[in-house]
Amino acid sequence: MKLVDHFQYGLNSPICLTWELTYACNLACVHCLSSSGRRDPRELSTDEAKAVVDELQRMQVFYVNIGGGEPTVRPDFWELLDYAISHDVGVKFSTNGIKLDKRRAAQLAATDYVDIQISLDGATAEVNDHVRGPGSYATAIRALENLAEAGFGQPKISVVMTRQNVDQLDEFKAIADKFGAQLRITRLRPSGRGVDVWDELHPLPAQQKQLYDWLVARGEGVLTGDSFFHLSAYGQALPGLNLCGAGRVVCLIDPVGDVYACPFAIHENFLAGNVRSPGGFAGVWRDAELFADLRRPQTGGACASCSFFDSCQGGCMAAKFFTGLPLDGPDPECVRGFGEQALTARSADTTIPRSDVDHSRSAPRNSRTPKGPVPLALSVRPARDCDESPLAGIALPAGT
């Protein structure tokens, strides 16, 4: 059995654990996955967060992705960073750079087992600040300057690809090269506040192809994670994890300790448990019914009939869910056009799901009423391949 086949049925510990330490944030990015802004008073205490680190050490989780919100505005962030590293849990944290002054940059340059991702969604202030807010470009560049001056080795520049910045890929690479950084590009998901701007911001079909061609031609050394495996249907598979690892090899811990199957799907349907429960995080990872469902063999669903399924694996679960598409159907950005057809085929009364967690400063914080997980049917390798559309047999409205 290939290693990736083991991934489909889950591992004893997550390969990549995303941990959002706080919903507090100095920015209000329009595409924020976690709808961050205001701190939640129920967020894990310092001692509770350290207890989670202790669990991760026992589970031999080698590193954790820290995010938010803006994690560095949490008063105990630096204490928790040091605690994790001293307990053999490496830290990669994402930041807009607001707290990375010269002193902190020097501190980080002298610290082992820490990696930094600076969020930048435009290679120019005009493009970046349209999404992330006025002054955010200057803040990010200043943080990169401070890290370079301190001698921090190869920070990451993390870019969410949008309709407005696809043409700037070469410029992003030039910025990364200038500061001795590594470029990391990720996919825009219609999650959190992103659901409101997805139609405006997500790359058009021609831009998806442009992005794919750029990665094939110039993407050596560019990190993509599991963001773009749906583009592999254009031809060759791109580097990275070319499948949905939700609940199998990845998951999310949010600031109040809730554990979700997918970092891009903060919604009660993907809520597996809470680290404050008697079994802790390890108990949720091992025993959650939702995770057990995700790790069972699945049918290929509608996409099983598509000859490109082996390449794209049906695409992103979160992108389907938050656009009102079935989880075992085509990705909304399917490069063969089947997602576009599925979006058009949605009935007029289709409810587009929204996250039940919102800490935006401009909106009231939602209270959560757990309804329990729903059965999830994800796409896996089908028994046979053919060239039939995954939408065959579905009645589409006239004119599609």
Side-chain angles (χ1 to χ4, degrees):
M1 181 182 286
K2 295 184 296 184
L3 181 61
V4 71
D5 294 327
H6 287 285
F7 290 174
Q8 292 191 11
Y9 300 105
L11 300 178
N12 291 333
S13 302
I15 286 179
C16 176
L17 171 68
T18 297
W19 187 358
E20 295 182 343
L21 282 181
T22 185
Y23 284 121
C25 190
N26 57 302
L27 299 182
C29 301
V30 299
H31 58 359
C32 179
L33 293 168
S34 58
S35 299
S36 288
R38 296 180 295 173
R39 175 184 173 272
D40 193 311
R42 303 168 299 158
E43 71 183 27
L44 299 177
S45 68
T46 303
D47 287 343
E48 287 176 318
K50 288 180 176 179
V52 172
V53 172
D54 293 340
E55 280 196 90
L56 300 181
Q57 182 184 30
R58 289 192 293 270
M59 296 174 71
Q60 297 184 320
V61 174
F62 297 118
Y63 81 95
V64 60
N65 283 321
I66 299 291
E70 171 52 46
T72 63
V73 303
R74 182 167 159 147
D76 59 358
F77 170 77
W78 304 102
E79 178 183 352
L80 292 175
L81 175 70
D82 290 340
Y83 187 85
I85 292 169
S86 68
H87 286 72
D88 306 315
V89 179
V91 173
K92 178 187 292 183
F93 71 92
S94 298
T95 175
N96 57 48
I98 188 65
K99 296 291 186 178
L100 293 191
D101 56 19
K102 293 181 184 297
R103 180 174 69 89
R104 289 299 188 191
Q107 173 188 340
L108 290 165
T111 304
D112 292 328
Y113 306 113
V114 63
D115 197 8
I116 305 167
Q117 293 185 161
I118 306 295
S119 297
L120 191 69
D121 292 336
T124 59
E126 179 184 14
V127 174
N128 178 85
D129 292 4
H130 175 71
V131 173
R132 303 189 61 83
S136 56
Y137 179 86
T139 297
I141 295 297
R142 184 165 56 248
L144 288 166
E145 290 171 344
N146 291 339
L147 290 170
E149 182 181 316
F152 186 93
Q154 204 175 51
K156 309 297 185 289
I157 297 176
S158 184
V159 179
V160 177
M161 298 309 303
T162 67
R163 191 172 304 176
Q164 289 73 26
N165 66 19
V166 170
D167 288 337
Q168 297 185 322
L169 281 164
D170 286 337
E171 295 172 67
F172 281 122
K173 188 67 168 59
I175 293 173
D177 292 343
K178 175 182 177 181
F179 292 110
Q182 187 173 21
L183 181 61
R184 177 180 184 268
I185 62 173
T186 63
R187 183 180 177 185
L188 175 72
R189 263 84 169 193
S191 310
R193 287 197 292 267
V195 71
D196 295 321
V197 296
W198 192 75
D199 286 338
E200 172 196 344
L201 296 183
H202 81 94
L204 297 169
Q207 293 177 312
Q208 299 268 16
K209 183 63 162 60
Q210 179 184 347
L211 172 58
Y212 173 81
D213 289 342
W214 188 89
L215 285 170
V216 170
R218 306 211 43 204
E220 185 176 358
V222 176
L223 302 176
T224 60
D226 63 350
S227 286
F228 299 110
F229 58 93
H230 70 294
L231 297 183
S232 297
Y234 279 127
Q236 67 190 69
L238 297 170
L241 180 62
N242 286 294
L243 58 83
C244 173
R248 298 159 172 166
V249 295
V250 302
C251 69
L252 167 79
I253 301 175
D254 86 345
V256 302
D258 282 337
V259 181
Y260 293 89
C262 172
F264 308 112
I266 302 177
H267 188 280
E268 60 188 18
N269 285 8
F270 303 99
L271 177 60
N274 189 284
V275 301
R276 286 171 167 145
S277 61
F281 171 73
V284 176
W285 180 259
R286 262 193 334 261
D287 305 326
E289 181 182 346
L290 174 64
F291 287 173
D293 287 342
L294 289 169
R295 294 164 188 167
R296 291 189 185 104
Q298 309 283 336
T299 64
C303 285
S305 61
C306 179
S307 61
F308 297 95
F309 181 86
D310 278 357
S311 299
C312 81
Q313 295 289 312
C316 173
M317 176 179 74
K320 299 177 197 181
F321 181 77
F322 287 111
T323 51
L325 297 182
L327 299 186
D328 61 351
D331 188 292
E333 293 182 300
C334 166
V335 302
R336 313 310 302 181
F338 301 135
E340 220 175 322
Q341 295 176 41
L343 290 172
T344 304
R346 292 176 304 185
S347 64
D349 59 352
T350 297
T351 300
I352 306 300
R354 298 186 67 94
S355 174
D356 48 317
V357 178
D358 191 343
H359 290 76
S360 303
R361 286 190 294 270
S362 60
R365 186 181 299 123
N366 291 351
S367 59
R368 184 164 21 225
T369 307
K371 298 176 182 177
V374 297
L376 299 179
L378 298 181
S379 300
V380 297
R381 182 184 180 92
R384 64 182 182 83
D385 291 329
C386 68
D387 289 320
E388 184 182 353
S389 164
L391 298 178
I394 298 177
L396 300 178
T400 59

